[in-house]
Amino acid sequence: MPRTPKHRLEAMRTNEISLLARVSALKLLIESPGDADQKLLDACKAQSKLAEISIDNLGIKSMSLNTLKATCNRILQNGFEEFDLLRKQSMEKYQAYQLILNHNHKKDSQAYYKQKIHDLENTQRNLINSHVFMAEKYSQLLHLYRRHLQKVKDGKINIDNELRLLDQHLRRFGEPGSPALTVVKSE
């Protein structure tokens, strides 16, 4: 079996180091898209661009796409498919990051303020509905109390029926210890 020349072994080792630097840079891009290197981002758009890119401060050296694929297949567990998946994931993460960033920066837009007004109107409507609900329940309670006092006055009290009505009202309104005010959602 012929022995591989020393210069070829050195080139393979350089390519392996460069590949591992690419993998690290892509994983970092996925974890922190806000800190992404713009040159790396541009290269992620195509396999060939990611192969030919050279970023010295990241330890990435230029190589052909065929060399990149061969090195991936030799070094990475799932070969070039694993590397290409990282490339696609980094692009997706960065695009998602950009969408969030752009959405947050559009706080001065007309659409943002229209949505804000709509949300505040819904909150106001929900609060009004809750107040109406409370007033109705309080009115029912006063009505029950008046009936109870009248029955006591007339001597016609059926304590079991009164307890049943009270329990029924408490189930509708809420048991003691539970929050007294619940927001009624608008439909």
Side-chain angles (χ1 to χ4, degrees):
M1 183 161 159
R3 197 167 159 210
T4 307
K6 186 177 178 181
H7 73 280
R8 182 72 184 121
L9 289 173
E10 287 174 8
M12 287 172 65
R13 183 68 189 140
T14 301
N15 290 338
E16 290 170 3
I17 292 170
S18 183
L19 169 66
L20 294 175
R22 279 177 174 81
V23 168
S24 294
L26 291 175
K27 285 181 179 178
L28 182 63
L29 196 156
I30 290 169
E31 290 173 16
S32 319
D35 300 331
D37 182 285
Q38 192 59 46
K39 198 172 174 184
L40 180 65
L41 277 170
D42 293 339
C44 283
K45 294 176 183 171
Q47 294 173 349
S48 59
K49 287 185 178 186
L50 195 52
E52 68 189 28
I53 192 169
S54 179
I55 308 174
D56 292 332
N57 62 332
L58 295 178
I60 298 173
K61 306 292 180 204
S62 179
M63 64 179 85
S64 72
L65 181 56
N66 287 339
T67 302
L68 178 64
K69 287 180 179 182
T71 307
C72 286
N73 291 335
R74 199 172 56 251
I75 299 297
L76 301 178
Q77 185 175 359
N78 294 317
F80 185 72
E81 289 80 22
E82 180 180 338
F83 181 78
D84 200 42
L85 182 63
L86 278 174
R87 177 186 70 84
K88 291 173 184 174
Q89 286 175 340
S90 18
M91 286 302 295
E92 289 169 2
K93 277 288 192 176
Y94 187 74
Q95 287 168 352
Y97 169 77
Q98 285 295 100
L99 282 174
I100 291 169
L101 194 63
N102 289 339
H103 177 72
N104 290 343
H105 283 179
K106 291 183 180 176
K107 285 188 176 176
D108 292 334
S109 71
Q110 184 178 11
Y112 171 80
Y113 286 110
K114 280 184 179 181
Q115 182 63 43
K116 194 77 169 162
I117 289 169
H118 177 73
D119 292 345
L120 290 171
E121 287 172 344
N122 279 341
T123 301
Q124 181 183 30
R125 209 173 5 262
N126 288 341
L127 287 172
I128 290 169
N129 290 342
S130 294
H131 287 285
V132 169
F133 175 76
M134 287 287 295
E136 287 174 357
K137 294 303 175 185
Y138 185 66
S139 175
Q140 288 175 7
L141 181 63
L142 291 175
H143 180 71
L144 285 173
Y145 186 59
R146 180 187 296 145
R147 276 188 35 214
H148 177 70
L149 288 178
Q150 188 62 43
K151 286 181 181 181
V152 168
K153 182 179 171 188
D154 295 342
K156 300 178 184 176
I157 188 141
N158 178 347
I159 195 69
D160 292 331
N161 188 48
E162 294 302 316
L163 287 172
R164 182 187 61 77
L165 288 173
L166 179 61
D167 287 340
Q168 199 176 50
H169 183 75
L170 285 172
R171 274 194 303 274
R172 275 186 277 156
F173 188 63
E175 290 295 325
S178 66
L181 177 64
T182 53
V183 175
V184 177
K185 301 276 184 178
S186 60
E187 307 266 341

